[in-house]
Each structure stands twice: as C-alpha cells, then as structure tokens.
C-alpha cells in the first residue's frame, strides 16, 4: 500500500487502537522500560507500606494521614492503570489494544489524576485549619466530614472525567488508530478523529480547569493565609515548627501541579517534540506516586520508625 493510500484511509467505529509507545525512541524503548519499572516498584512498595502503617498506628488517625492513605490508594491505582500496558509495549511490543479498553484506561488514568488533585486540596485545607484555627481543628474535621470530603472528591472526578470517553464514543470516523503515546491520553485519542472534535477539546479544557485549576487556586489561597498566620507568630521556633508541618505537602503539591500543567498545555498549545512530551507526561504520572511516600516517610517520625521496624523484623526473620 502506498503512503498516499495509507494517509487517505479512514476507520469507522474502530475496535482496535495501536499504541506506538514513544515516537522516535522505538529503538531504546526496551531499556527505557527498566527505570519506569523501578519507579513503579518503589511507588507500589512505598504506598502499600503507608496503607499498612496508617490504619495500624493510632497516632496517625488524623485528617492529614487519612488523606495521605487515600492518596496512597490513588497512587497505587494510577500505577496499575498505566504500567502493565506501557511495559508490555516497551518489552514485548504488544502495541494493539481494544478501543473500548483504551477508553477505559483513559477514564481511570484521568479520574485518578483528578482524585489526587482533590486530595491535595483537602490536605491543604487540613493544614489551613491546623495552623490558622488549631483549637477547632478536631471539631471541624470530624470523621463524618472527612468521609464526605473524600466522597465529594471521588464523585467530582468520576462525573467530570466520565464526560471525556462518553464524548469520544460519539465520534465514529477516525483517520488513524495509531496513538502516538505509551498510554491512552485524552487529547492523543481525540486528535485521531476525522469528525468535528471541537466539543471534545472544549470539554477537555473545562474538566482540566474546573478540577486542576480550581484546586490549585484554592491551595494557593490556603497557603497564602497559612504563611500570613505563620509570619505573625511571635516566636521564631513556633514559626519554624508550623512551617515544618507543611513542607511535605508543599513539595508534593509543587511536583504534581508543575508537571501536570506542563503536560496539559504542551500537548494542546506547545510545539514540544513528541518523544519529550510523552516521556515527561509519563514521568508526571509515575514519579509523584513514588516520591509521595518517601517525602512523608522522611518527614514523619512515626512512619519512619514503623518502616524501620518492618525491615528490621524481616531481616531478623531471615537471619
């Protein structure tokens, strides 16, 4: 078949999608898979340990660590949604994927991303109450309130992100089924359509700004109020102590949103080399789940001590 004929081909209601991996780096994809596999292993191990320690340790039954446990579960889901197919592409050249399975992966990846953003907002609200109104912290963030906040975060993500695959399903004609990506990303799939995709693009921007934009705005407002309260404290030691309670969350917040907005805007408006964009967008999804448990483990004495006990116990059993 000539290249002209290939370019003129169209697909009506395709049943299969082809994920190409990282365009331009196909010859080294096999080796690229190993660092991503290592990152996924660290993410899974770290977040599973958090999910074991937080429920077992009564001193961690506080809003911040309850949200951290939900964040850990979200990160495990994100790795499970991305890594198996991505590594199958890199290592076994398993490029094909059922189109409906691709849409399902798209839904789960973006839903979990949005849930992570919502949990980071909830954690920022917790820090705001803990520092700006400490006497009412436990009376405001009661267990029923925490459950409602988590349910709202989940429902918001499911409902808004659910619009994206639903709108893709209304598209029937595609000029290609080759997705230049290592996973099914919304705009990468939408760009394949030969039908009018204006509604899909607008909806994608709406979901992005109504979740990521909304959450980031209110996190920044929370920290502006927190810093104002901290700098008004009369004693330097009190200021340092208050600020230290926020450093882990600030680091996690920055790594998540900086990478998120770069990935979001570079695909829509930028002229970034495809291989660079795909590598960075994959790093954006997989690196925070690996770093989050490390950051909180280093900052929290109780978590650090329990992790040491787990590994020392395992070493003692082996000896």
């Amino acid at each position: 078949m000539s290249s002209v004929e290939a370019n003129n081909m169209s697909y009506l209601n395709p049943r299969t999608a082809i994920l190409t991996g990282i365009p331009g780096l196909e010859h080294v994809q096999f080796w690229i898979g190993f660092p991503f596999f290592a990152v996924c292993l660290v993410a899974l191990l770290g977040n599973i340990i958090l999910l074991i320690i937080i429920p077992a340790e009564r001193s961690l039954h506080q809003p911040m660590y309850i949200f951290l446990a939900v964040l850990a579960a979200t990160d495990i889901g994100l790795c499970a949604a991305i890594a198996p197919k991505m590594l199958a592409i890199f290592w076994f050249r398993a490029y094909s994927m059922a189109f409906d399975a691709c849409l399902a992966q798209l839904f789960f990846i973006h839903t979990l991303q949005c849930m992570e953003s919502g949990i980071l907002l909830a954690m920022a609200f917790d820090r705001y109450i803990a520092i700006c109104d400490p006497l009412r912290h436990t009376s405001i963030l009661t267990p029923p309130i925490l459950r409602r906040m988590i349910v709202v975060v989940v429902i918001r993500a499911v409902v808004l992100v659910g619009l994206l695959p639903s709108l893709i399903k209304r598209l029937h004609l595609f000029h290609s089924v080759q997705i230049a990506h290592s996973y099914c990303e919304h705009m990468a799939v939408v760009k394949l359509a030969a039908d009018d995709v204006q509604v899909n693009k607008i909806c994608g921007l709406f979901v992005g700004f109504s979740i990521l934009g909304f959450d980031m705005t209110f996190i920044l407002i929370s920290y502006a109020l927190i810093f104002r309260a901290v700098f008004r404290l009369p004693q330097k030691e009190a200021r340092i102590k208050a600020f230290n309670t926020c450093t882990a969350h600030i680091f996690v917040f920055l790594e998540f949103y900086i990478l998120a907005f770069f990935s979001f805007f570079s695909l829509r408006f930028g002229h970034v080399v495809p291989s660079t964009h795909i590598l960075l967008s994959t790093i954006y999804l997989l690196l925070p789940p690996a770093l989050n448990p490390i950051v909180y483990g280093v900052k929290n004495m109780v978590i650090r001590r329990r992790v040491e006990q787990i590994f020392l116990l395992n070493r003692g059993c082996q000896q």
Side-chain angles (χ1 to χ4, degrees), residues 59-124:
S59 63
L60 297 179
H61 294 181
Q62 302 172 30
M64 188 66 169
Y65 296 102
I66 292 171
F67 290 138
L68 180 58
V70 178
L71 188 67
T74 302
D75 287 340
I76 290 171
L78 201 52
C79 289
I82 297 169
K85 183 59 184 178
M86 181 186 69
L87 294 176
I89 293 168
F90 291 167
W91 290 345
F92 308 112
R93 299 184 179 181
Y95 301 116
S96 65
M97 186 179 194
F99 194 78
D100 287 340
C102 179
L103 295 184
Q105 187 192 47
L106 180 156
F107 170 76
F108 282 112
I109 288 174
H110 292 308
T111 297
L112 290 165
Q113 281 179 278
C114 293
M115 284 176 57
E116 186 157 356
S117 176
I119 294 300
L120 290 175
L121 174 59
M123 294 169 89

Side-chain angles (χ1 to χ4, degrees), residues 2-319:
S2 70
S3 60
V4 174
E5 289 172 330
N7 290 334
N8 288 334
M9 282 186 65
S10 59
Y11 300 83
L12 182 65
N13 297 322
R15 294 185 179 181
T16 304
I18 307 296
L19 289 162
T20 61
I22 306 175
L25 297 178
E26 291 88 352
H27 58 294
V28 292
Q29 281 186 160
F30 180 84
W31 304 108
I32 291 173
F34 287 99
F36 280 130
F37 177 67
V39 170
C40 288
L41 276 184
V42 171
L44 290 173
L45 180 62
N47 287 296
I48 288 170
I49 289 174
L50 285 181
L51 288 177
I52 293 171
I53 291 174
I54 292 172
E57 185 64 47
R58 291 189 62 85
S59 63
L60 297 179
H61 294 181
Q62 302 172 30
M64 188 66 169
Y65 296 102
I66 292 171
F67 290 138
L68 180 58
V70 178
L71 188 67
T74 302
D75 287 340
I76 290 171
L78 201 52
C79 289
I82 297 169
K85 183 59 184 178
M86 181 186 69
L87 294 176
I89 293 168
F90 291 167
W91 290 345
F92 308 112
R93 299 184 179 181
Y95 301 116
S96 65
M97 186 179 194
F99 194 78
D100 287 340
C102 179
L103 295 184
Q105 187 192 47
L106 180 156
F107 170 76
F108 282 112
I109 288 174
H110 292 308
T111 297
L112 290 165
Q113 281 179 278
C114 293
M115 284 176 57
E116 186 157 356
S117 176
I119 294 300
L120 290 175
L121 174 59
M123 294 169 89
F125 179 67
D126 166 73
R127 291 299 84 202
Y128 165 73
I129 298 296
I131 292 173
C132 297
D133 199 359
L135 297 179
R136 298 179 58 208
H137 183 246
T138 54
S139 62
I140 293 174
L141 293 176
T142 60
I145 294 297
L146 296 180
R147 285 193 291 269
R148 288 173 193 166
M149 290 172 71
I150 293 167
V151 168
V152 168
V153 166
V154 173
I155 291 175
R156 181 188 68 161
V158 169
V159 171
L160 289 178
V161 175
L163 296 172
L164 304 182
S166 300
L167 289 173
I168 291 174
K169 285 292 286 184
R170 75 179 180 85
L171 303 172
H172 301 291
L173 195 63
F174 291 76
H175 58 73
S176 174
V177 292
Q178 287 196 351
I179 303 170
H181 219 301
S182 55
Y183 61 88
C184 291
E185 195 270 344
H186 175 245
M187 280 307 298
V189 177
V190 167
K191 286 183 175 182
L192 303 181
D195 294 328
D196 182 16
V197 295
Q198 194 64 30
V199 173
N200 300 75
K201 291 180 178 179
I202 292 171
C203 186
L205 287 171
F206 169 74
V207 172
F209 280 110
S210 62
I211 293 182
L212 297 180
F214 176 89
D215 293 350
M216 189 183 72
T217 300
F218 279 92
I219 290 173
L220 290 174
I221 291 172
S222 296
Y223 273 104
L225 296 173
I226 287 170
F227 288 150
R228 187 181 69 173
V230 167
F231 289 128
R232 285 180 175 177
L233 293 173
Q235 295 180 334
K236 182 180 178 181
E237 293 78 9
R239 290 197 297 270
I240 294 173
K241 184 178 179 181
F243 183 74
N244 279 340
T245 64
C246 301
T247 52
H249 182 262
I250 291 172
F251 180 85
V252 170
F253 159 70
L254 289 175
E255 64 165 334
F256 179 84
Y257 284 100
I258 289 172
L259 290 170
F261 276 91
F262 177 83
S263 175
F264 185 81
F265 286 110
S266 64
L267 187 61
R268 287 163 176 79
F269 308 114
H271 300 284
V272 180
V273 177
S275 59
T276 303
H277 166 75
I278 293 167
L279 277 173
L280 289 175
S281 64
T282 308
I283 290 169
Y284 147 62
L285 290 177
L286 294 179
L287 190 60
L291 291 178
N292 293 348
I294 295 172
V295 170
Y296 280 98
V298 168
K299 289 294 296 179
N300 185 273
M301 184 71 71
V302 176
I303 294 176
R304 191 163 68 244
R305 190 180 301 120
R306 289 299 297 266
V307 170
E308 289 171 357
Q309 289 173 356
I310 289 171
F311 283 102
L312 287 174
L313 181 63
N314 289 339
R315 188 179 301 173
C317 292
Q318 289 174 358
Q319 291 175 353

